[in-house]
């Protein structure tokens, strides 16, 4: 898949901002069940960390987050309030555990508050019931970031956060983390390309192992990451 886009240098800087781990929305505080998977040693090596993340990319992000992100991006661009509300509710209804739903809405709310301060405030959904994807796609439309670049940034930031969690918990060295990210780069391009081709009837997925890990994490005795 080609990587040449029409994103301007200013828009690129805005994309780097919204994808930054220093963005004050709390993304670093969540493991999405990976902490439980590491505790139970489902994930205990560089190879198993890559397999875990790649599995979520291929079986969850590709069939759910990416196509819904695309539709929300288009809806924001067209000022289509009905579609914005529909796809926002759809993605939140697809979060199978209390932990995942709270994570999504808490980060979505934090990003909407930040965007208001940055004068992107044309929200069409309840800020307390706003998915991160809904707010992130709005930011990208507001800053004239192309859809392709927006998705690459969003998925990259998610992968980078998951790798960072694995490096801390397994634990792995920083070089191992970079090797995992290197292996994920072609996977990111593939899942974005495939996710953008999905028809509405094909949207939706579930990863039972990750969902079980998320539920186990909700009452894990000791943990570093939020539930």
């Amino acid at each position: 898949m080609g990587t040449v886009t029409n994103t301007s240098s200013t828009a690129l800087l805005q994309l780097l901002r919204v994808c930054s781990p220093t963005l004050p929305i709390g993304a670093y505080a969540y493991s999405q069940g990976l902490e439980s998977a590491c505790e139970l040693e489902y994930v205990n090596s560089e190879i198993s960390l890559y397999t875990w993340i790649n599995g979520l990319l291929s079986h969850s992000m590709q069939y759910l987050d990416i196509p819904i992100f695309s539709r929300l991006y288009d809806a924001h661009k067209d000022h289509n309030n009905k579609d914005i509300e529909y796809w926002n509710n759809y993605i939140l209804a697809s979060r199978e555990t209390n932990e995942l739903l709270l994570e999504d809405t808490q980060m979505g709310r934090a990003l909407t508050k930040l965007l208001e301060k940055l004068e992107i405030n044309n929200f069409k959904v309840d800020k307390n019931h706003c998915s991160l994807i809904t707010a992130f796609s709005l930011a990208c439309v507001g800053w004239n970031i192309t859809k392709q670049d927006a998705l690459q940034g969003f998925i990259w930031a998610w992968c980078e956060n998951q790798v960072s969690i694995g490096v801390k918990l397994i634990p792995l060295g920083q070089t191992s983390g970079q090797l995992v990210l290197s292996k994920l780069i072609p996977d990111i391009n593939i899942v974005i390309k495939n996710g953008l081709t999905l028809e509405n009837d094909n949207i939706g997925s579930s990863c039972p192992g990750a969902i079980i890990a998320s539920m186990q994490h909700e009452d894990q005795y000791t943990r570093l990451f939020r539930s």
Side-chain angles (χ1 to χ4, degrees):
M1 180 175 61
T3 58
V4 177
T5 69
N6 295 319
T7 292
S8 69
S9 58
T10 299
L12 177 59
L13 291 175
Q14 296 286 22
L15 177 61
L16 293 174
R17 171 201 276 192
V18 78
C19 293
S20 171
T22 65
L23 194 74
I25 62 172
Y28 65 89
Y30 299 96
S31 78
Q32 298 191 343
L34 181 53
E35 182 168 23
S36 177
C38 290
E39 173 76 13
L40 297 170
E41 297 191 355
Y42 302 153
V43 178
N44 58 10
S45 66
E46 181 182 313
I47 294 173
S48 57
L49 178 61
Y50 166 75
T51 301
W52 179 272
I53 298 172
N54 173 264
L56 290 175
L57 277 176
S58 301
H59 300 291
S60 181
M61 306 293 277
Q62 178 171 257
Y63 290 99
L64 187 66
D65 299 71
I66 290 170
I68 292 180
F69 186 107
S70 174
R71 284 155 177 78
L72 282 165
Y73 183 99
D74 292 342
H76 286 307
K77 203 166 188 178
D78 297 337
H79 306 288
N80 187 329
N81 298 345
K82 182 178 179 181
D83 279 1
I84 292 169
E85 182 177 9
Y86 176 83
W87 290 112
N88 178 74
N89 291 339
Y90 193 112
I91 192 70
L92 292 181
S94 300
R95 302 310 187 198
E96 295 99 326
T97 68
N98 188 51
E99 173 181 85
L100 294 176
L101 178 60
L102 287 175
E103 173 189 350
D104 203 352
T105 54
Q106 286 169 358
M107 291 174 62
R109 182 167 60 251
L111 184 53
T112 61
K113 290 180 178 179
L114 174 62
L115 292 178
E116 284 184 326
K117 298 292 186 180
L118 299 175
E119 299 184 349
I120 295 181
N121 53 16
N122 52 328
F123 295 101
K124 308 302 181 184
V125 297
D126 180 357
K127 297 178 184 64
N128 292 315
H129 192 68
C130 179
S131 168
L132 174 62
I133 288 177
T134 305
F136 192 102
S137 56
L138 173 63
C140 291
V141 169
W143 286 324
N144 296 314
I145 299 164
T146 68
K147 183 191 292 185
Q148 181 72 30
D149 284 349
L151 275 167
Q152 286 185 319
F154 182 82
I155 300 300
W156 170 261
W158 178 84
C159 287
E160 189 175 39
N161 189 57
Q162 288 285 289
V163 168
S164 176
I165 292 164
V167 166
K168 293 173 184 176
L169 294 176
I170 291 174
L172 296 174
Q174 294 295 331
T175 299
S176 290
Q178 289 301 311
L179 290 172
V180 173
L181 284 171
S182 292
K183 291 175 67 177
L184 287 167
I185 287 174
D187 300 330
I188 291 172
N189 287 329
I190 290 169
V191 299
I192 290 174
K193 180 179 179 180
N194 293 340
L196 287 173
T197 66
L198 288 182
E199 300 293 337
N200 287 354
D201 288 346
N202 294 324
I203 295 175
S205 70
S206 183
C207 294
I211 300 311
I212 291 170
S214 176
M215 290 189 293
Q216 291 171 322
H217 186 252
E218 289 177 351
D219 59 7
Q220 187 171 320
Y221 181 66
T222 59
R223 59 179 183 237
L224 297 176
F225 295 91
R226 291 183 65 179
S227 176

